[in-house]
Amino acid sequence: MEEPANAGAGLSLHLRAEIDRWIARFPAGRQRSAVIGALHAAQHENSGYLTRELMEAVGAYLGLPPIQVFEVASFYSMFETKPVGRHSISVCTNISCMLCGGEKILAHVEKRLGIKVGESTPDGRFYLKKEEECLAACCGAPMMMVDHKYYENLTPARVDDILNGISCLAEQKGEHSHD
């Protein structure tokens, strides 16, 4: 694949290396297949969201028209296209979780973080994402997903332990909030 001269402009060396690892997983000429992995890596490196410029840079690096990258980023709920809290939390309230206390868990998370669904904490650390559909862990209801990791059989005390653990880990890593 011949890359345009500006391919990779705006992408860190680390991000380009990560995208190259994704490209290598697919047959030559099928770099479009790497777009989900590339966007996930870009979002992770950019404090949890994708900017238009970042998506355009990913597209240029993959040799794709920007619209193909925008389509993927806007279709999948795992991608954010506006600033949100660094740690994304989704609490399942679909039928199995609802019957097992998912709404109680959601209310606890909202109270604990001082935010409602769709909002980020003022320090930019947490984002309480709208849960669109079932998160497919019905046997472990009620459950939530934090940064794509599932936590099942939740109680308010267990939720507190999980959130405290994330906060402690973030401080150890020196994560900073964003405005």
Side-chain angles (χ1 to χ4, degrees), residues 18-153:
E18 183 65 24
I19 294 171
D20 288 342
R21 281 191 283 283
W22 278 102
I23 292 170
R25 294 178 180 196
F26 302 101
R30 300 289 183 146
Q31 67 277 8
R32 182 177 182 183
S33 299
V35 72
I36 290 175
L39 288 174
H40 190 268
Q43 177 172 275
H44 180 75
E45 190 172 278
N46 193 53
S47 298
Y49 72 102
L50 298 165
T51 63
R52 179 181 186 92
E53 296 77 20
L54 190 54
M55 289 184 280
E56 288 172 349
V58 166
Y61 193 74
L62 292 173
L64 301 174
I67 187 65
Q68 289 182 355
V69 178
F70 299 153
E71 288 170 342
V72 171
S74 63
F75 178 78
Y76 290 102
S77 64
M78 70 180 90
F79 297 119
E80 301 298 336
T81 56
K82 62 180 174 53
V84 295
R86 182 72 180 132
H87 299 284
S88 179
I89 302 170
S90 298
V91 178
C92 184
T93 55
N94 211 302
I95 190 70
S96 292
C97 286
M98 179 189 67
L99 292 172
C100 293
E103 291 175 344
K104 179 180 168 189
I105 295 298
L106 177 60
H108 180 77
V109 171
E110 287 179 335
K111 183 178 179 187
R112 166 74 194 273
L113 297 177
I115 58 174
K116 296 289 184 191
V117 170
E119 297 177 348
S120 295
T121 55
D123 65 1
R125 186 160 283 165
F126 295 101
Y127 171 56
L128 188 52
K129 188 172 186 145
K130 178 183 178 289
E131 181 263 314
E132 294 86 9
E133 259 310 317
C134 178
L135 292 172
C138 300
C139 292
M143 65 84 61
M144 70 179 181
M145 180 173 64
V146 180
D147 296 334
H148 305 286
K149 181 178 178 186
Y150 280 22
Y151 296 92
E152 301 177 12
N153 303 305

